Amino acid sequence: NAGVTQTPKFRILKIGQSMTLQCAQDMNHNYMYWYRQDPGMGLKLIYYSVGAGITDKGEVPNGYNVSRSTTEDFPLRLELAAPSQTSVYFCASSLGQASGNEQFFGPGTRLTVL
Amino acid sequence: GQQVMQIPQYQHVQEGEDFTTYCNSSTTLSNIQWYKQRPGGHPVFLIQLVKSGEVKKQKRLTFQFGEAKKNSSLHITATQTTDVGTYFCAGSSNSGYALNFGKGTSLLVTP
């Protein structure tokens, strides 16, 4: 099993550009999450999904969108990138809801917006 | 909303010294999880605590969950250079689909 994979690993965007961060898992997990990590600030939840076709906002959803058309994939869309979105983005998945289940993290995408 | 506070933010120890990081929640938690993130890496699950007063050990690591289920600690005995990284606690309430992560404690171990 590859676990949780993310692409790309690194990306530099110009202000106002858009991009999609890809996330896939091959563990047949229902729950998937997107976090951003800023230096010294821990992990903040952007969006999460409890199954295909179901998504919900986390703590910091503004400027992002997600979709979950399949169990495996959970892409994160950035529209009109801003410097405040410079961060490391982690995708994670779990078998059941986070309360009570280990989260498996992908390797992350390091995004810089200039 | 629920907040998870973690102290200290940084800790620098000599190899062989002990290390402890503390996690406190503003609300009662249904469980707490601990993760380790190596520099440049991604968080990796260490353990989950569920019961009030629970203590679990993994080799040199000891995890505790407070009686009131509002605080937790991770203690490392005789640190090694391989312990370097950031340790995060993450908690959730009974109604939580997601975890609230603390800001983490970054541990540096010098030989």
Side-chain angles (χ1 to χ4, degrees):
Chain A
N1 287 352
V4 180
T5 57
Q6 291 183 240
T7 56
K9 290 185 179 180
F10 303 93
R11 183 73 186 268
I12 298 175
L13 282 181
K14 294 182 179 179
I15 295 172
Q17 287 185 321
S18 301
M19 76 166 293
T20 299
L21 283 66
Q22 301 292 343
C23 174
Q25 52 90 12
D26 61 359
M27 297 174 283
N28 202 32
H29 286 172
N30 284 323
Y31 291 75
M32 296 188 74
Y33 315 83
W34 273 106
Y35 294 92
R36 60 175 289 172
Q37 184 176 37
D38 301 317
M41 296 300 292
L43 293 153
K44 292 187 181 296
L45 184 66
I46 305 171
Y47 270 96
Y48 66 96
S49 170
V50 302
I54 306 171
T55 63
D56 208 347
K57 296 178 179 179
E59 183 183 358
V60 289
N62 292 344
Y64 307 94
N65 277 299
V66 293
S67 60
R68 184 95 182 270
S69 57
T70 67
T71 299
E72 294 78 19
D73 300 297
F74 190 39
L76 177 71
R77 178 80 177 164
L78 277 72
E79 304 282 0
L80 299 174
S84 61
Q85 293 178 305
T86 294
S87 189
V88 180
Y89 292 85
F90 288 103
C91 178
S93 72
S94 59
L95 182 62
Q97 68 182 56
S99 176
N101 288 273
E102 171 184 357
Q103 290 196 353
F104 294 82
F105 284 81
T109 294
R110 283 150 182 79
L111 175 67
T112 302
V113 182
L114 300 174
Chain B
Q2 178 186 333
Q3 291 190 353
V4 176
M5 309 299 291
Q6 199 172 346
I7 57 170
Q9 189 175 2
Y10 303 99
Q11 186 80 55
H12 181 187
V13 300
Q14 293 288 114
E15 191 172 25
E17 293 181 334
D18 292 356
F19 160 78
T20 304
T21 174
Y22 301 90
C23 186
N24 292 286
S25 171
S26 56
T27 59
T28 302
L29 302 169
S30 60
N31 63 73
I32 194 156
Q33 298 179 8
W34 285 90
Y35 291 78
K36 177 183 179 181
Q37 183 178 24
R38 295 184 185 276
H42 60 275
V44 175
F45 177 83
L46 292 176
I47 208 161
Q48 175 174 271
L49 304 172
V50 178
K51 299 177 183 177
S52 170
E54 189 170 14
V55 178
K56 286 188 176 181
K57 293 189 175 183
Q58 290 180 349
K59 297 182 180 179
R60 294 177 295 103
L61 278 62
T62 302
F63 304 85
Q64 293 188 338
F65 201 10
E67 294 289 342
K69 300 183 74 172
K70 285 189 171 183
N71 57 77
S72 181
S73 65
L74 158 60
H75 179 82
I76 302 178
T77 303
T79 55
Q80 300 175 357
T81 55
T82 53
D83 295 325
V84 166
T86 300
Y87 294 85
F88 293 97
C89 62
S92 64
S93 64
N94 289 329
S95 61
Y97 285 116
L99 293 172
N100 288 299
F101 280 80
K103 292 183 178 181
T105 297
S106 293
L107 173 64
L108 178 62
V109 181
T110 51

